[in-house]
Amino acid sequence: MREINDNDRDPVHAYYLPLHAVMKPDSTTTRLRVVFDASCATDTGVSLKDVLMVGPVVQEDLLSILVRFRFHKFAIIGDVEKMYRMVNVHLQDQPLQRILWRECIDESIRTYQLSTVTYGTSSVPYLATRCLNKCAEEGEEKHPLAASTIKKNFYVDDMLAGADSVKEGVKLCNEVLSLLGSAGFNL
């Protein structure tokens, strides 16, 4: 996200996302998680979630992925780390993801604009999974094994794949890591 200065404050369309914190003191990885509420209606009665297009499903169904996963001798699983934070929103659409923030009660409130897709908005699953598929399409010539795996064996940000030999599995892992890494996705 980036802070908005006074010159950027009045776009034609802007939406301020309500947010709150969820505390998990026992968590070793994420003790504080910020939750955005894109379904909160404005004074017109319409929310951001109401007006965003959902987009089509561009990944295979989970049952097909699970059935295919069970046929391999060696299982390979992975998760794209913070996938939604790796997908940028077009600059002209960023005013629809504004927040008000301050570090402490004595500080003045500042306006920020989120620059990546935000969990909880209706278009995010499509946008993020479409980016994975685009990565696969663009890397198909150099990494055919990885491209096929990304297209067929991902459910949102989770990879369920496999191989019939260790050698084949290592090759697949290296290709997928390389291809996804080229697009900024850390598996």
Side-chain angles (χ1 to χ4, degrees), residues 98-114:
R98 289 197 170 172
I99 63 168
L100 302 173
W101 185 263
R102 65 178 170 193
E103 291 294 323
C104 63
I105 199 158
D106 299 332
E107 194 177 278
S108 62
I109 296 174
R110 295 178 295 184
T111 302
Y112 288 89
Q113 196 163 276
L114 304 174

Side-chain angles (χ1 to χ4, degrees), residues 11-145:
V12 175
H13 300 287
Y15 180 82
Y16 287 79
L17 285 162
L19 61 117
H20 66 276
V22 174
M23 300 286 291
K24 285 182 165 182
D26 299 335
S27 175
T28 58
T29 56
T30 311
R31 293 191 177 152
L32 174 80
R33 183 178 301 267
V34 178
V35 177
F36 300 98
D37 185 6
S39 61
C40 182
T42 65
D43 56 357
T44 65
V46 179
S47 72
L48 179 60
K49 202 168 184 175
D50 292 334
V51 297
L52 290 175
M53 292 180 66
V54 176
V57 175
V58 293
Q59 289 183 321
E60 295 207 13
D61 65 287
L62 184 56
L63 182 60
S64 298
I65 295 168
L66 287 171
V67 168
R68 212 173 18 257
F69 178 66
R70 293 181 51 90
F71 280 97
H72 299 288
K73 186 173 180 180
F74 297 96
I76 301 171
I77 61 170
D79 176 83
V80 178
E81 182 181 15
K82 299 177 183 168
M83 183 167 81
Y84 291 171
R85 292 286 157 241
M86 301 300 114
V87 179
N88 291 320
V89 170
H90 193 281
L91 191 59
Q92 81 180 49
D93 296 326
Q94 289 179 13
L96 296 172
Q97 297 188 139
R98 289 197 170 172
I99 63 168
L100 302 173
W101 185 263
R102 65 178 170 193
E103 291 294 323
C104 63
I105 199 158
D106 299 332
E107 194 177 278
S108 62
I109 296 174
R110 295 178 295 184
T111 302
Y112 288 89
Q113 196 163 276
L114 304 174
S115 57
T116 59
V117 296
T118 302
Y119 185 79
T121 56
S122 50
S123 58
V124 169
Y126 168 74
L127 294 171
T129 56
R130 178 64 184 103
C131 285
L132 282 180
N133 283 348
K134 183 68 173 170
C135 175
E137 289 168 15
E138 290 181 358
E140 203 158 20
E141 193 172 308
K142 189 174 179 185
H143 301 289
L145 189 59

